[in-house]
């Protein structure tokens, strides 16, 4: 049996940062809907609006952040986003302790957290691509996926027990603290990250020598630490031309220098839309993107509906509500660890088509939830089937997306992907909440379960899936290594 593949010390700290943040979020899973129901006595429409409006507004705020993230060092951006989320989450227990907690405050915090999450994910994706070799992207993403599901398996039951013992905001405190720990882990990576430069700009004196030496050391030792340098990133043509040509003509003596040229609105907008242009111009990414929007939107729209159905209509205690979502997450460990082997044996095209379809066929089972043990088992069985397939599919999708995105577009592409997904989740959640308010949560669950059955039609056809990237044969050859 082959040993576990080592991805280097910097990746270890990045993984540790992801882990502490994920476990904190696992403890706080569903905290906002639960606080809205148990503390603020909110109804289905308010709970759904909380889950929909916050992420939607956060996604809008994140759109102009994409070019800013693209042209900044990624690790400081990630640390800043962690600290912003920590500060925002910390206001909730303060408001609760003072008796001033309101639905509006929950909404504002959800907006800040959503925007910071999108910016963090965009920066971390670009940072990861520079940190590990191309043939290690699937391994790295599988480890993140495994950590994600294990945190959800452990977090919600512990969070439910903690809420029962210490009150409804204790898991929010833990979540806020986890973002602080994540920032500390990112700081521990160390080293100096190279600032992105315009495409074609020559390195400053000594940079080329340092980069060449670092790559030689990495090649000789197999360590990925020297790959923390972020590759040069192109700016717009308008920014690159002055650096290539200099001033158009010398100024006469005494004549003041002209004011610097201002970027026009259309060019700024073009920078914001580059991520979407890349996705929509790539036939496979476009199909995967549109499919993901609907699948994620319809699945996540059921969270507030289930919160109302299980906690209010069927009388489930909080610990059972947490258990219903936690225990099935153990299936995420199975799916994420199988991803590399399944790709090696069947190929990514088969994973996209078959596993992508299997994600969608189980949601309708939530319609049949009943009170008591039978209802609890029903929720757990449906969630288990969905999670096993999602955890196998997601790291394959994430690796494919990074492999087929140029380095200078990674942050903007990931931002575009996240913004679109958050918008889809917000729209589906809002519509689900309105339908539930008018007809009941079970009817809204039925609509989501039926609509998601049509999503496999959007998956890419096998004949349109490009051949494997140059890194994939090496990844396939080492498929025996557990992620």
């Amino acid at each position: 049996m082959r040993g576990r593949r080592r991805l280097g010390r910097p990746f270890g700290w990045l993984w540790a940062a992801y882990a502490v943040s994920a476990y904190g979020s696992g403890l706080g899973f569903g905290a906002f809907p639960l606080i809205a129901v148990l503390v603020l006595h909110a109804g289905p429409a308010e709970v759904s609006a909380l889950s929909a409006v916050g992420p939607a507004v956060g996604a809008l705020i994140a759109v102009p952040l994409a070019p800013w993230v693209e042209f900044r060092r990624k690790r400081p951006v990630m640390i800043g986003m962690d600290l912003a989320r920590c500060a925002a989450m910390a206001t909730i227990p303060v408001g609760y302790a003072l008796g001033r907690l309101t639905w509006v405050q929950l909404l504002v915090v959800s907006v800040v957290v959503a925007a910071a999450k999108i910016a963090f994910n965009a920066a971390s994706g670009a940072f990861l691509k520079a940190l590990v070799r191309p043939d290690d992207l699937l391994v790295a993403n599988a480890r993140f996926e495994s950590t994600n599901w294990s945190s959800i398996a452990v977090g919600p039951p512990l969070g439910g027990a903690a809420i029962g013992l210490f009150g409804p905001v204790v898991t929010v405190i833990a979540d806020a603290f986890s973002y602080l720990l994540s920032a500390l882990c990112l700081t521990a990576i160390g080293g100096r990250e190279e600032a992105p430069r315009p495409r074609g700009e020559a390195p400053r004196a000594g940079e080329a020598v340092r980069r060449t030496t670092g790559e030689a050391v990495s090649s000789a030792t197999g360590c990925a630490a020297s790959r923390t340098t972020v590759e040069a990133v192109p700016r717009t043509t308008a920014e690159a031309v002055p650096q290539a040509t200099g001033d158009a003509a010398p100024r006469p003596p005494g004549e003041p220098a002209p004011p610097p040229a201002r970027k026009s609105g259309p060019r700024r907008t073009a920078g914001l839309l580059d991520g979407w242009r890349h996705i929509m111009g790539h036939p496979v990414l476009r199909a995967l993107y549109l499919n993901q929007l609907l699948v994620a939107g319809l699945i996540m729209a059921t969270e507030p509906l289930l919160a109302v159905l299980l906690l209010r209509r069927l009388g489930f205690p909080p610990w059972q509500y947490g258990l219903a979502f936690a225990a099935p997450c153990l299936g995420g460990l199975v799916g994420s660890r199988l991803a590399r082997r399944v790709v090696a044996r069947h190929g990514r095209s088969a994973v996209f088509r078959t596993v992508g379809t299997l994600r969608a066929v189980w949601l309708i089972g939530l319609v049949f939830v009943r009170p008591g043990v039978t209802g609890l088992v029903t929720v757990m069985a449906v969630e288990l089937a969905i999670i096993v397939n999602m955890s196998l599919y997601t790291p394959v999708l994430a690796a494919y997306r990074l492999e087929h995105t140029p380095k200078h577009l990674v942050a903007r592409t990931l931002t575009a992907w996240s913004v679109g997904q958050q918008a889809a989740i917000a729209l589906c959640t809002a519509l689900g909440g309105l339908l539930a308010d008018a007809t009941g949560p079970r009817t809204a669950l039925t609509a989501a379960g039926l609509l998601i059955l049509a999503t496999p039609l959007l998956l890419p056809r096998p004949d349109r899936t490009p051949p494997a990237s140059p890194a994939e044969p090496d990844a396939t050859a080492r498929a025996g290594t557990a992620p």
Side-chain angles (χ1 to χ4, degrees):
M1 177 182 293
R2 299 188 182 183
R4 188 183 189 87
R5 170 129 18 133
R6 296 184 180 274
L7 300 183
R9 177 181 173 276
F11 175 79
W13 280 115
L14 179 63
W15 192 10
Y18 182 89
V20 295
S21 177
Y23 277 93
S25 298
L27 284 170
F29 179 80
F32 282 18
L34 191 144
I35 291 173
V37 171
L38 298 182
V39 177
L40 304 179
H41 308 291
E46 292 173 303
V47 174
S48 294
L50 181 64
S51 300
V53 176
V57 177
L60 289 177
I61 294 174
V63 170
L65 290 178
W68 179 82
V69 171
E70 194 80 78
F71 298 106
R72 296 296 184 278
R73 291 183 175 93
K74 304 304 182 288
R75 190 156 58 96
V77 171
M78 296 158 65
I79 293 171
M81 295 303 106
D82 269 340
L83 295 178
R85 287 185 285 184
C86 175
M89 295 289 283
T91 65
I92 293 178
V94 172
Y96 177 77
L98 297 176
R100 297 294 184 90
L101 183 64
T102 65
W103 182 87
V104 173
Q105 182 180 350
L106 291 179
L107 181 63
V108 172
V109 172
S110 69
V111 168
V112 173
V113 170
K117 179 180 179 180
I118 292 174
F120 181 95
N121 289 344
S124 65
F127 189 74
L128 177 64
K129 183 165 183 174
L131 191 68
V132 302
R133 296 174 302 182
D135 57 327
D136 285 332
L137 285 174
L138 180 55
V139 175
N141 280 288
R143 290 181 184 177
F144 289 148
E145 189 72 7
S146 176
T147 301
N148 177 58
W149 291 114
S150 65
S151 69
I152 300 177
V154 174
L158 294 179
I163 288 172
L165 292 173
F166 304 110
V169 299
V170 64
T171 59
V172 177
I173 297 174
D175 198 6
F177 185 63
S178 74
Y179 290 126
L180 180 60
L181 290 179
S182 174
L184 293 176
C185 290
L186 293 171
T187 302
I189 292 176
R192 180 171 176 79
E193 184 182 351
E194 182 183 341
R197 292 191 308 270
R199 180 186 293 172
E201 180 181 310
R204 290 186 295 273
E207 279 190 5
V209 175
R210 288 196 298 272
R211 180 182 297 180
T212 303
T213 303
E215 290 176 353
V217 171
S218 177
S219 176
T221 64
C223 177
S226 63
R227 295 183 58 83
T228 55
T229 299
V230 177
E231 298 295 332
V233 181
R235 297 180 188 166
T236 61
T237 304
E239 294 174 289
V241 168
Q243 296 174 353
T245 64
D247 292 335
R251 297 189 304 273
E255 182 177 326
R262 299 180 63 183
K263 296 180 185 178
S264 63
R267 283 175 184 157
R268 187 182 297 113
T269 303
L272 299 178
L273 299 179
D274 282 345
W276 278 288
R277 287 197 183 95
H278 171 64
I279 293 171
M280 301 310 290
H282 190 293
V284 177
L285 284 179
R286 180 174 63 244
L288 294 172
Y289 178 64
L290 296 176
N291 172 266
Q292 185 70 12
L293 294 186
L294 287 179
V295 171
L298 292 170
I299 289 178
M300 293 306 298
T302 65
E303 180 186 346
L305 302 176
L306 282 174
V308 174
L309 180 64
L310 298 181
L311 294 171
R312 176 171 294 180
R313 301 290 179 87
L314 302 182
F316 280 61
W319 72 267
Q320 287 187 353
Y321 173 76
L323 180 64
F325 292 99
C329 292
L330 295 174
L333 301 177
V334 177
S336 59
R337 293 183 67 85
L338 286 176
R340 189 174 178 84
R341 294 180 176 88
V342 172
V343 170
R345 175 169 295 185
H346 302 288
R348 285 190 295 203
S349 177
V351 171
F352 289 150
R353 291 294 303 175
T354 304
V355 182
T357 299
L358 290 175
R359 293 179 306 160
V361 300
W362 308 101
L363 194 65
I364 192 68
L366 294 176
V367 176
F368 306 103
V369 174
R370 293 291 182 268
V373 176
T374 302
L376 182 64
V377 171
T378 300
V379 175
M380 293 171 65
V382 171
E383 294 291 329
L384 177 63
I386 294 174
I387 287 170
V388 168
N389 289 285
M390 286 182 63
S391 62
L392 198 163
Y393 180 93
T394 301
V396 180
L397 170 62
Y400 181 90
R401 185 175 56 204
L402 285 176
E403 290 172 11
H404 290 266
T405 299
K407 291 181 180 179
H408 68 279
L409 286 174
V410 171
R412 281 170 285 181
T413 298
L414 295 182
T415 298
W417 196 287
S418 296
V419 167
Q421 185 167 300
Q422 289 292 344
I425 291 172
L427 178 60
C428 291
T429 302
L431 293 176
L434 292 174
L435 182 60
D437 207 39
T439 63
R442 203 178 294 274
T443 301
L445 288 171
T446 302
L450 293 176
L451 287 173
I452 201 172
L453 294 177
T455 58
L457 298 175
L458 295 173
L459 289 168
R461 298 192 302 271
D463 59 330
R464 297 188 67 179
T465 303
S469 67
E472 192 173 357
D474 183 59
T476 302
R478 287 183 268 184
T481 304

